Amino acid sequence: MKKFLKITAVIILILVVSLVGFLYFSSKPLPEGEKGIEAEALTDKIQDAINQKAWDSTAAVAFTFRGNHHYLWDKKHNLVQVEWDDTKVIYNNQTLEGLAYKNDKKLTDTDKTDAIKKANDYFNNDSFWLIAPFKLRDAGTARSIVMQDNQEALMITYASGGSTPGDSYVWLVDENYVPKAWRMWVSIIPVGGLETSWEDWKTFQNNLKIATNHKGLIDLKLENVKAGQSIEEINDGINPFTEL
């Protein structure tokens, strides 16, 4: 038994070292971009392709991330419902005030505060995989043109806001300027230029387009995606935020 455990430990160590080595040699330097008219023109084309105006006017969104984080988002009023496992949180994502339940029992004090913080962390991470293409001109962003695979690409660098200052994303687009992938240079990932796809684009009202699948080192899927002009419209007539 001890011999088997030693062999297993050696195999795991080899796999870990191999993965670290692969990631290290796969890392790419951050490309140098050129700001200006061309970068803004490419941004315009991407926003037109996915219909930025329709997104801006969308009032409510629902989606499930990786099968176990379920969201209702009253985008117009900054209200979010997050459900996972036996927990449900309803809160304002600007003030972080709200309600939290575990096994349908209302939480109070520190437990409620912790649950709201956890829900907001989930929401900030998971929603970015849905809304990132609509944040190209957020406050604190810089846009520049870079060359990737002999094609112009758009690099977005976050100087402030929800992402870590200095984080950069290079958007690769198809012939219609719909994003097909991005390459990431972000502080939480030690590998520069890691690529993840943006695919399975679904079309919603007013020709709004949302990607529902991402393939890369880890595959991420968004399911049950809905968009509308009210929570009731996308949630069978029910508005959970009346509790707040």
Side-chain angles (χ1 to χ4, degrees):
M1 184 64 177
K2 289 182 179 179
K3 184 177 181 180
F4 173 77
L5 292 175
K6 287 181 180 179
I7 293 173
T8 302
V10 170
I11 292 174
I12 292 173
L13 179 61
I14 291 172
L15 290 173
V16 169
V17 171
S18 299
L19 177 59
V20 170
F22 169 76
L23 293 175
Y24 176 80
F25 288 107
S26 298
S27 188
K28 302 179 180 66
L30 179 69
E32 291 187 15
E34 183 174 343
K35 299 178 183 178
I37 295 174
E38 291 185 3
E40 298 307 320
L42 181 53
T43 304
D44 288 340
K45 290 175 181 177
I46 294 172
Q47 289 186 328
D48 288 344
I50 61 179
N51 203 338
Q52 178 79 39
K53 290 181 179 178
W55 171 256
D56 292 342
S57 64
T58 294
V61 180
F63 66 100
T64 296
F65 185 76
R66 300 191 73 186
N68 57 0
H69 292 174
H70 310 281
Y71 296 94
L72 276 175
W73 178 16
D74 185 335
K75 181 169 163 278
K76 185 176 180 179
H77 298 104
N78 301 312
L79 303 175
V80 184
Q81 175 180 281
V82 188
E83 293 184 273
W84 72 94
D85 299 333
D86 55 4
T87 302
K88 178 172 75 172
V89 174
I90 305 170
Y91 74 106
N92 183 305
N93 70 328
Q94 300 298 306
T95 65
L96 297 188
E97 295 179 352
L99 304 171
Y101 300 85
K102 194 173 184 66
N103 292 317
D104 296 323
K105 182 179 179 180
K106 187 179 290 187
L107 301 179
T108 59
D109 303 327
T110 302
D111 290 338
K112 181 183 79 168
T113 301
D114 290 346
I116 291 175
K117 182 183 182 305
K118 189 171 186 178
N120 192 56
D121 288 343
Y122 283 155
F123 176 70
N124 287 340
N125 175 77
D126 299 352
S127 66
F128 195 63
W129 289 96
L130 185 148
I131 67 174
F134 302 106
K135 297 172 68 64
L136 305 183
R137 284 195 165 104
D138 273 13
T141 59
R143 289 158 296 284
S144 56
I145 290 284
V146 298
M147 294 302 297
Q148 298 282 288
D149 306 331
N150 298 314
Q151 180 182 351
E152 286 188 343
L154 180 68
M155 182 163 70
I156 303 297
T157 299
Y158 288 84
S160 62
S163 296
T164 304
D167 282 0
S168 295
Y169 300 81
V170 171
W171 289 96
L172 311 178
V173 298
D174 66 16
E175 64 278 6
N176 297 313
Y177 298 101
V178 175
K180 61 182 181 181
W182 68 8
R183 291 172 182 164
M184 299 175 281
W185 283 263
V186 295
S187 60
I188 62 171
I189 300 176
V191 183
L194 195 64
E195 182 173 321
T196 303
S197 71
W198 284 71
E199 56 186 277
D200 292 343
W201 288 84
K202 307 298 182 187
T203 302
F204 298 86
Q205 61 184 3
N206 299 325
N207 203 35
L208 170 67
K209 291 182 172 58
I210 296 175
T212 61
N213 202 8
H214 309 287
K215 294 179 180 178
L217 189 62
I218 298 175
D219 293 349
L220 305 171
K221 193 165 187 176
L222 293 94
E223 300 172 296
N224 308 314
V225 180
K226 300 177 183 178
Q229 295 309 313
S230 71
I231 284 294
E232 291 86 350
E233 179 187 342
I234 64 173
N235 194 43
D236 299 325
I238 299 170
N239 184 350
F241 303 113
T242 56
E243 295 184 59
L244 295 179

Short mmCIF file of all heavy atoms in Angstrom, two decimals, residues 176-227:
data_model
loop_
_atom_site.label_atom_id
_atom_site.label_comp_id
_atom_site.label_asym_id
_atom_site.label_seq_id
_atom_site.Cartn_x
_atom_site.Cartn_y
_atom_site.Cartn_z
N ASN A 176 -17.39 39.50 -39.16
CA ASN A 176 -18.51 40.42 -38.89
C ASN A 176 -18.27 41.26 -37.64
O ASN A 176 -19.20 41.93 -37.18
CB ASN A 176 -19.81 39.62 -38.75
CG ASN A 176 -20.18 38.89 -40.02
OD1 ASN A 176 -20.15 39.46 -41.11
ND2 ASN A 176 -20.51 37.61 -39.90
N TYR A 177 -17.07 41.19 -37.10
CA TYR A 177 -16.66 41.95 -35.91
C TYR A 177 -17.33 41.46 -34.62
O TYR A 177 -17.35 42.16 -33.62
CB TYR A 177 -16.90 43.46 -36.10
CG TYR A 177 -16.08 44.00 -37.24
CD1 TYR A 177 -16.67 44.23 -38.48
CD2 TYR A 177 -14.72 44.25 -37.10
CE1 TYR A 177 -15.92 44.69 -39.56
CE2 TYR A 177 -13.96 44.71 -38.17
CZ TYR A 177 -14.56 44.93 -39.39
OH TYR A 177 -13.81 45.37 -40.45
N VAL A 178 -17.87 40.24 -34.66
CA VAL A 178 -18.37 39.61 -33.44
C VAL A 178 -17.19 38.95 -32.74
O VAL A 178 -16.42 38.22 -33.37
CB VAL A 178 -19.45 38.56 -33.77
CG1 VAL A 178 -19.87 37.81 -32.50
CG2 VAL A 178 -20.65 39.21 -34.43
N PRO A 179 -17.00 39.21 -31.44
CA PRO A 179 -15.87 38.58 -30.73
C PRO A 179 -15.92 37.05 -30.83
O PRO A 179 -16.98 36.45 -30.65
CB PRO A 179 -16.07 39.05 -29.28
CG PRO A 179 -16.78 40.36 -29.41
CD PRO A 179 -17.72 40.17 -30.57
N LYS A 180 -14.78 36.46 -31.12
CA LYS A 180 -14.70 35.00 -31.18
C LYS A 180 -13.81 34.43 -30.07
O LYS A 180 -13.88 33.25 -29.76
CB LYS A 180 -14.21 34.53 -32.54
CG LYS A 180 -12.81 35.01 -32.92
CD LYS A 180 -12.43 34.55 -34.32
CE LYS A 180 -11.02 35.02 -34.70
NZ LYS A 180 -10.64 34.59 -36.06
N ALA A 181 -12.96 35.30 -29.48
CA ALA A 181 -12.08 34.85 -28.39
C ALA A 181 -11.43 36.08 -27.77
O ALA A 181 -11.44 37.17 -28.36
CB ALA A 181 -11.00 33.89 -28.90
N TRP A 182 -10.89 35.89 -26.57
CA TRP A 182 -10.01 36.93 -26.03
C TRP A 182 -8.75 36.28 -25.47
O TRP A 182 -8.73 35.07 -25.18
CB TRP A 182 -10.70 37.80 -25.00
CG TRP A 182 -11.09 37.15 -23.68
CD1 TRP A 182 -10.77 35.90 -23.23
CD2 TRP A 182 -11.88 37.74 -22.65
NE1 TRP A 182 -11.30 35.67 -21.99
CE2 TRP A 182 -11.99 36.79 -21.60
CE3 TRP A 182 -12.49 38.98 -22.49
CZ2 TRP A 182 -12.70 37.05 -20.43
CZ3 TRP A 182 -13.19 39.23 -21.32
CH2 TRP A 182 -13.30 38.27 -20.31
N ARG A 183 -7.71 37.07 -25.38
CA ARG A 183 -6.47 36.65 -24.74
C ARG A 183 -6.26 37.56 -23.53
O ARG A 183 -6.39 38.78 -23.65
CB ARG A 183 -5.30 36.72 -25.74
CG ARG A 183 -5.43 35.65 -26.82
CD ARG A 183 -4.43 35.77 -27.94
NE ARG A 183 -4.68 34.72 -28.94
CZ ARG A 183 -4.19 34.72 -30.16
NH1 ARG A 183 -3.42 35.73 -30.57
NH2 ARG A 183 -4.47 33.74 -31.00
N MET A 184 -5.93 36.94 -22.41
CA MET A 184 -5.93 37.66 -21.14
C MET A 184 -4.53 37.85 -20.57
O MET A 184 -3.72 36.92 -20.57
CB MET A 184 -6.78 36.90 -20.11
CG MET A 184 -8.24 36.74 -20.49
SD MET A 184 -9.15 35.70 -19.29
CE MET A 184 -8.63 34.06 -19.82
N TRP A 185 -4.31 39.07 -20.11
CA TRP A 185 -3.12 39.38 -19.31
C TRP A 185 -3.65 39.98 -18.01
O TRP A 185 -3.90 41.19 -17.92
CB TRP A 185 -2.22 40.37 -20.04
CG TRP A 185 -1.41 39.76 -21.13
CD1 TRP A 185 -0.11 39.34 -21.05
CD2 TRP A 185 -1.80 39.49 -22.48
NE1 TRP A 185 0.32 38.84 -22.25
CE2 TRP A 185 -0.70 38.92 -23.15
CE3 TRP A 185 -3.00 39.69 -23.20
CZ2 TRP A 185 -0.76 38.55 -24.49
CZ3 TRP A 185 -3.05 39.32 -24.53
CH2 TRP A 185 -1.94 38.75 -25.16
N VAL A 186 -3.90 39.12 -17.03
CA VAL A 186 -4.57 39.56 -15.80
C VAL A 186 -3.78 39.08 -14.59
O VAL A 186 -3.11 38.04 -14.63
CB VAL A 186 -6.02 39.03 -15.72
CG1 VAL A 186 -6.85 39.65 -16.84
CG2 VAL A 186 -6.09 37.52 -15.82
N SER A 187 -3.90 39.83 -13.51
CA SER A 187 -3.07 39.58 -12.33
C SER A 187 -3.35 38.24 -11.65
O SER A 187 -2.47 37.65 -11.05
CB SER A 187 -3.24 40.72 -11.32
OG SER A 187 -4.59 40.82 -10.91
N ILE A 188 -4.58 37.75 -11.76
CA ILE A 188 -4.93 36.51 -11.05
C ILE A 188 -4.50 35.27 -11.82
O ILE A 188 -4.59 34.16 -11.29
CB ILE A 188 -6.43 36.44 -10.74
CG1 ILE A 188 -7.26 36.42 -12.04
CG2 ILE A 188 -6.86 37.59 -9.84
CD1 ILE A 188 -8.72 36.12 -11.82
N ILE A 189 -4.04 35.43 -13.07
CA ILE A 189 -3.58 34.29 -13.87
C ILE A 189 -2.11 34.50 -14.20
O ILE A 189 -1.76 35.52 -14.81
CB ILE A 189 -4.40 34.15 -15.17
CG1 ILE A 189 -5.88 33.96 -14.85
CG2 ILE A 189 -3.87 32.99 -16.01
CD1 ILE A 189 -6.76 33.90 -16.08
N PRO A 190 -1.23 33.58 -13.81
CA PRO A 190 0.20 33.78 -14.00
C PRO A 190 0.67 33.60 -15.44
O PRO A 190 1.86 33.76 -15.73
CB PRO A 190 0.83 32.71 -13.09
CG PRO A 190 -0.19 31.62 -13.04
CD PRO A 190 -1.53 32.32 -13.09
N VAL A 191 -0.23 33.27 -16.34
CA VAL A 191 0.13 33.02 -17.72
C VAL A 191 -0.39 34.16 -18.59
O VAL A 191 -1.59 34.46 -18.60
CB VAL A 191 -0.46 31.69 -18.22
CG1 VAL A 191 -0.02 31.41 -19.66
CG2 VAL A 191 -0.07 30.56 -17.31
N GLY A 192 0.48 34.82 -19.30
CA GLY A 192 0.07 35.91 -20.18
C GLY A 192 -0.42 35.41 -21.52
O GLY A 192 0.19 34.54 -22.14
N GLY A 193 -1.55 35.95 -21.97
CA GLY A 193 -2.05 35.60 -23.30
C GLY A 193 -2.90 34.35 -23.35
O GLY A 193 -3.15 33.81 -24.43
N LEU A 194 -3.36 33.90 -22.17
CA LEU A 194 -4.22 32.71 -22.15
C LEU A 194 -5.50 33.00 -22.94
O LEU A 194 -6.16 34.00 -22.71
CB LEU A 194 -4.55 32.35 -20.71
CG LEU A 194 -5.13 30.95 -20.45
CD1 LEU A 194 -4.12 29.87 -20.80
CD2 LEU A 194 -5.55 30.82 -18.98
N GLU A 195 -5.85 32.11 -23.85
CA GLU A 195 -6.99 32.36 -24.74
C GLU A 195 -8.21 31.56 -24.33
O GLU A 195 -8.13 30.38 -23.97
CB GLU A 195 -6.63 32.00 -26.19
CG GLU A 195 -7.76 32.28 -27.19
CD GLU A 195 -7.33 32.09 -28.63
OE1 GLU A 195 -6.18 32.47 -28.96
OE2 GLU A 195 -8.13 31.55 -29.42
N THR A 196 -9.36 32.22 -24.37
CA THR A 196 -10.65 31.58 -24.12
C THR A 196 -11.61 32.04 -25.20
O THR A 196 -11.63 33.22 -25.56
CB THR A 196 -11.21 31.96 -22.74
OG1 THR A 196 -10.27 31.59 -21.73
CG2 THR A 196 -12.51 31.22 -22.47
N SER A 197 -12.41 31.13 -25.72
CA SER A 197 -13.33 31.48 -26.81
C SER A 197 -14.57 32.19 -26.28
O SER A 197 -14.95 32.07 -25.11
CB SER A 197 -13.77 30.21 -27.55
OG SER A 197 -14.65 29.43 -26.75
N TRP A 198 -15.19 32.94 -27.18
CA TRP A 198 -16.53 33.50 -26.96
C TRP A 198 -17.36 32.98 -28.12
O TRP A 198 -17.17 33.40 -29.27
CB TRP A 198 -16.48 35.04 -26.94
CG TRP A 198 -15.92 35.56 -25.65
CD1 TRP A 198 -14.63 35.49 -25.22
CD2 TRP A 198 -16.67 36.20 -24.59
NE1 TRP A 198 -14.52 36.05 -23.97
CE2 TRP A 198 -15.75 36.51 -23.56
CE3 TRP A 198 -18.00 36.56 -24.43
CZ2 TRP A 198 -16.13 37.12 -22.38
CZ3 TRP A 198 -18.39 37.19 -23.25
CH2 TRP A 198 -17.47 37.46 -22.24
N GLU A 199 -18.27 32.07 -27.81
CA GLU A 199 -19.01 31.41 -28.89
C GLU A 199 -20.43 31.08 -28.46
O GLU A 199 -20.87 31.43 -27.38
CB GLU A 199 -18.26 30.14 -29.33
CG GLU A 199 -17.99 29.15 -28.22
CD GLU A 199 -17.12 27.99 -28.70
OE1 GLU A 199 -17.70 27.05 -29.28
OE2 GLU A 199 -15.89 28.03 -28.51
N ASP A 200 -21.14 30.39 -29.36
CA ASP A 200 -22.57 30.09 -29.17
C ASP A 200 -23.34 31.37 -28.84
O ASP A 200 -24.04 31.46 -27.82
CB ASP A 200 -22.76 29.04 -28.06
CG ASP A 200 -22.24 27.67 -28.46
OD1 ASP A 200 -22.03 27.45 -29.67
OD2 ASP A 200 -22.03 26.83 -27.58
N TRP A 201 -23.21 32.34 -29.71
CA TRP A 201 -23.91 33.61 -29.54
C TRP A 201 -25.40 33.42 -29.77
O TRP A 201 -25.82 32.83 -30.76
CB TRP A 201 -23.36 34.65 -30.52
CG TRP A 201 -21.98 35.12 -30.16
CD1 TRP A 201 -20.79 34.51 -30.47
CD2 TRP A 201 -21.65 36.29 -29.41
NE1 TRP A 201 -19.74 35.24 -29.96
CE2 TRP A 201 -20.24 36.34 -29.31
CE3 TRP A 201 -22.41 37.31 -28.82
CZ2 TRP A 201 -19.58 37.36 -28.63
CZ3 TRP A 201 -21.75 38.33 -28.15
CH2 TRP A 201 -20.35 38.35 -28.06
N LYS A 202 -26.21 33.90 -28.82
CA LYS A 202 -27.66 33.84 -28.93
C LYS A 202 -28.18 35.26 -29.20
O LYS A 202 -27.64 36.23 -28.70
CB LYS A 202 -28.29 33.31 -27.65
CG LYS A 202 -27.72 31.98 -27.16
CD LYS A 202 -27.95 30.85 -28.15
CE LYS A 202 -27.41 29.52 -27.59
NZ LYS A 202 -27.47 28.44 -28.59
N THR A 203 -29.25 35.34 -29.98
CA THR A 203 -29.85 36.62 -30.32
C THR A 203 -31.15 36.81 -29.54
O THR A 203 -32.02 35.93 -29.52
CB THR A 203 -30.13 36.72 -31.82
OG1 THR A 203 -28.91 36.52 -32.54
CG2 THR A 203 -30.70 38.07 -32.18
N PHE A 204 -31.26 37.96 -28.88
CA PHE A 204 -32.42 38.29 -28.07
C PHE A 204 -33.15 39.46 -28.70
O PHE A 204 -32.85 39.87 -29.81
CB PHE A 204 -31.98 38.60 -26.63
CG PHE A 204 -31.32 37.43 -25.96
CD1 PHE A 204 -29.95 37.21 -26.12
CD2 PHE A 204 -32.04 36.53 -25.21
CE1 PHE A 204 -29.33 36.13 -25.52
CE2 PHE A 204 -31.43 35.44 -24.61
CZ PHE A 204 -30.08 35.24 -24.76
N GLN A 205 -34.14 40.01 -27.99
CA GLN A 205 -34.93 41.10 -28.56
C GLN A 205 -34.05 42.28 -28.94
O GLN A 205 -33.01 42.52 -28.34
CB GLN A 205 -36.01 41.54 -27.56
CG GLN A 205 -35.48 42.06 -26.24
CD GLN A 205 -36.61 42.40 -25.28
OE1 GLN A 205 -37.79 42.18 -25.57
NE2 GLN A 205 -36.26 42.94 -24.12
N ASN A 206 -34.49 42.98 -29.95
CA ASN A 206 -33.75 44.13 -30.50
C ASN A 206 -32.38 43.73 -31.05
O ASN A 206 -31.46 44.54 -31.10
CB ASN A 206 -33.59 45.23 -29.45
CG ASN A 206 -34.92 45.77 -28.97
OD1 ASN A 206 -35.87 45.87 -29.74
ND2 ASN A 206 -35.01 46.10 -27.69
N ASN A 207 -32.26 42.45 -31.44
CA ASN A 207 -31.04 41.93 -32.05
C ASN A 207 -29.83 41.99 -31.10
O ASN A 207 -28.68 42.05 -31.54
CB ASN A 207 -30.71 42.68 -33.34
CG ASN A 207 -29.84 41.87 -34.28
OD1 ASN A 207 -29.96 40.64 -34.36
ND2 ASN A 207 -28.94 42.53 -34.98
N LEU A 208 -30.10 41.95 -29.80
CA LEU A 208 -29.03 41.87 -28.81
C LEU A 208 -28.36 40.50 -28.91
O LEU A 208 -29.04 39.47 -28.96
CB LEU A 208 -29.61 42.06 -27.41
CG LEU A 208 -28.70 41.76 -26.22
CD1 LEU A 208 -27.55 42.76 -26.16
CD2 LEU A 208 -29.49 41.77 -24.92
N LYS A 209 -27.02 40.47 -28.90
CA LYS A 209 -26.28 39.21 -29.01
C LYS A 209 -25.45 38.98 -27.75
O LYS A 209 -24.74 39.88 -27.28
CB LYS A 209 -25.37 39.22 -30.24
CG LYS A 209 -26.14 39.17 -31.56
CD LYS A 209 -25.20 39.13 -32.76
CE LYS A 209 -25.96 38.88 -34.05
NZ LYS A 209 -27.00 39.89 -34.32
N ILE A 210 -25.58 37.75 -27.19
CA ILE A 210 -24.86 37.37 -25.97
C ILE A 210 -24.20 36.01 -26.19
O ILE A 210 -24.85 35.06 -26.64
CB ILE A 210 -25.81 37.29 -24.76
CG1 ILE A 210 -26.39 38.68 -24.45
CG2 ILE A 210 -25.10 36.73 -23.53
CD1 ILE A 210 -27.43 38.69 -23.34
N ALA A 211 -22.91 35.91 -25.87
CA ALA A 211 -22.19 34.63 -25.98
C ALA A 211 -22.53 33.76 -24.78
O ALA A 211 -22.60 34.24 -23.65
CB ALA A 211 -20.69 34.89 -26.04
N THR A 212 -22.73 32.47 -25.02
CA THR A 212 -23.16 31.58 -23.94
C THR A 212 -22.17 30.44 -23.67
O THR A 212 -22.47 29.56 -22.86
CB THR A 212 -24.54 30.98 -24.26
OG1 THR A 212 -24.46 30.22 -25.48
CG2 THR A 212 -25.58 32.07 -24.42
N ASN A 213 -21.02 30.46 -24.33
CA ASN A 213 -20.07 29.36 -24.13
C ASN A 213 -18.65 29.89 -24.29
O ASN A 213 -18.36 30.71 -25.16
CB ASN A 213 -20.33 28.25 -25.15
CG ASN A 213 -19.77 26.91 -24.69
OD1 ASN A 213 -19.32 26.76 -23.55
ND2 ASN A 213 -19.79 25.93 -25.57
N HIS A 214 -17.77 29.41 -23.41
CA HIS A 214 -16.36 29.81 -23.43
C HIS A 214 -15.51 28.55 -23.28
O HIS A 214 -15.64 27.83 -22.29
CB HIS A 214 -16.05 30.78 -22.29
CG HIS A 214 -17.00 31.94 -22.22
ND1 HIS A 214 -16.97 32.98 -23.13
CD2 HIS A 214 -18.01 32.21 -21.37
CE1 HIS A 214 -17.92 33.84 -22.83
NE2 HIS A 214 -18.57 33.41 -21.77
N LYS A 215 -14.62 28.34 -24.23
CA LYS A 215 -13.75 27.17 -24.19
C LYS A 215 -12.31 27.62 -24.09
O LYS A 215 -11.87 28.51 -24.79
CB LYS A 215 -13.96 26.29 -25.42
CG LYS A 215 -15.35 25.66 -25.50
CD LYS A 215 -15.52 24.82 -26.75
CE LYS A 215 -16.92 24.21 -26.80
NZ LYS A 215 -17.14 23.42 -28.05
N GLY A 216 -11.58 26.98 -23.17
CA GLY A 216 -10.18 27.31 -22.97
C GLY A 216 -9.56 26.31 -22.02
O GLY A 216 -9.87 25.12 -22.08
N LEU A 217 -8.68 26.80 -21.15
CA LEU A 217 -8.09 25.91 -20.15
C LEU A 217 -9.17 25.29 -19.30
O LEU A 217 -9.11 24.12 -18.92
CB LEU A 217 -7.10 26.70 -19.28
CG LEU A 217 -6.23 25.89 -18.33
CD1 LEU A 217 -5.33 24.93 -19.11
CD2 LEU A 217 -5.38 26.80 -17.45
N ILE A 218 -10.21 26.09 -18.99
CA ILE A 218 -11.41 25.61 -18.31
C ILE A 218 -12.60 26.05 -19.14
O ILE A 218 -12.69 27.21 -19.52
CB ILE A 218 -11.52 26.18 -16.87
CG1 ILE A 218 -10.32 25.73 -16.03
CG2 ILE A 218 -12.83 25.74 -16.22
CD1 ILE A 218 -10.30 26.34 -14.64
N ASP A 219 -13.53 25.15 -19.41
CA ASP A 219 -14.72 25.51 -20.17
C ASP A 219 -15.77 26.10 -19.25
O ASP A 219 -16.01 25.58 -18.15
CB ASP A 219 -15.29 24.28 -20.90
CG ASP A 219 -14.35 23.78 -21.99
OD1 ASP A 219 -13.39 24.51 -22.32
OD2 ASP A 219 -14.58 22.67 -22.50
N LEU A 220 -16.39 27.18 -19.68
CA LEU A 220 -17.40 27.88 -18.88
C LEU A 220 -18.65 28.04 -19.73
O LEU A 220 -18.59 28.57 -20.84
CB LEU A 220 -16.89 29.26 -18.45
CG LEU A 220 -15.56 29.28 -17.69
CD1 LEU A 220 -15.06 30.71 -17.53
CD2 LEU A 220 -15.72 28.64 -16.32
N LYS A 221 -19.79 27.61 -19.19
CA LYS A 221 -21.03 27.68 -19.95
C LYS A 221 -22.07 28.49 -19.20
O LYS A 221 -22.21 28.38 -17.98
CB LYS A 221 -21.56 26.27 -20.22
CG LYS A 221 -22.66 26.21 -21.26
CD LYS A 221 -22.89 24.79 -21.74
CE LYS A 221 -23.88 24.78 -22.91
NZ LYS A 221 -24.06 23.43 -23.46
N LEU A 222 -22.80 29.33 -19.94
CA LEU A 222 -23.92 30.06 -19.40
C LEU A 222 -25.21 29.48 -19.98
O LEU A 222 -25.33 29.33 -21.20
CB LEU A 222 -23.82 31.55 -19.74
CG LEU A 222 -22.66 32.30 -19.07
CD1 LEU A 222 -21.44 32.34 -19.99
CD2 LEU A 222 -23.07 33.72 -18.72
N GLU A 223 -26.14 29.15 -19.11
CA GLU A 223 -27.39 28.53 -19.53
C GLU A 223 -28.57 29.38 -19.07
O GLU A 223 -28.43 30.25 -18.21
CB GLU A 223 -27.49 27.12 -18.96
CG GLU A 223 -26.36 26.20 -19.41
CD GLU A 223 -26.37 24.88 -18.67
OE1 GLU A 223 -26.18 24.87 -17.43
OE2 GLU A 223 -26.56 23.85 -19.34
N ASN A 224 -29.74 29.07 -19.63
CA ASN A 224 -30.99 29.74 -19.23
C ASN A 224 -30.87 31.26 -19.32
O ASN A 224 -31.40 31.99 -18.48
CB ASN A 224 -31.40 29.34 -17.80
CG ASN A 224 -31.43 27.84 -17.61
OD1 ASN A 224 -31.98 27.12 -18.43
ND2 ASN A 224 -30.84 27.36 -16.52
N VAL A 225 -30.15 31.73 -20.34
CA VAL A 225 -29.95 33.17 -20.49
C VAL A 225 -31.23 33.81 -21.02
O VAL A 225 -31.80 33.36 -22.02
CB VAL A 225 -28.78 33.48 -21.43
CG1 VAL A 225 -28.59 34.99 -21.57
CG2 VAL A 225 -27.50 32.83 -20.91
N LYS A 226 -31.67 34.86 -20.33
CA LYS A 226 -32.85 35.61 -20.74
C LYS A 226 -32.55 37.10 -20.60
O LYS A 226 -31.77 37.50 -19.75
CB LYS A 226 -34.06 35.26 -19.87
CG LYS A 226 -34.46 33.79 -19.93
CD LYS A 226 -35.62 33.51 -18.98
CE LYS A 226 -35.98 32.03 -18.96
NZ LYS A 226 -37.08 31.75 -17.99
N ALA A 227 -33.19 37.91 -21.44
CA ALA A 227 -33.04 39.36 -21.36
C ALA A 227 -34.37 40.00 -21.69
O ALA A 227 -35.08 39.54 -22.59
CB ALA A 227 -31.96 39.83 -22.33
#
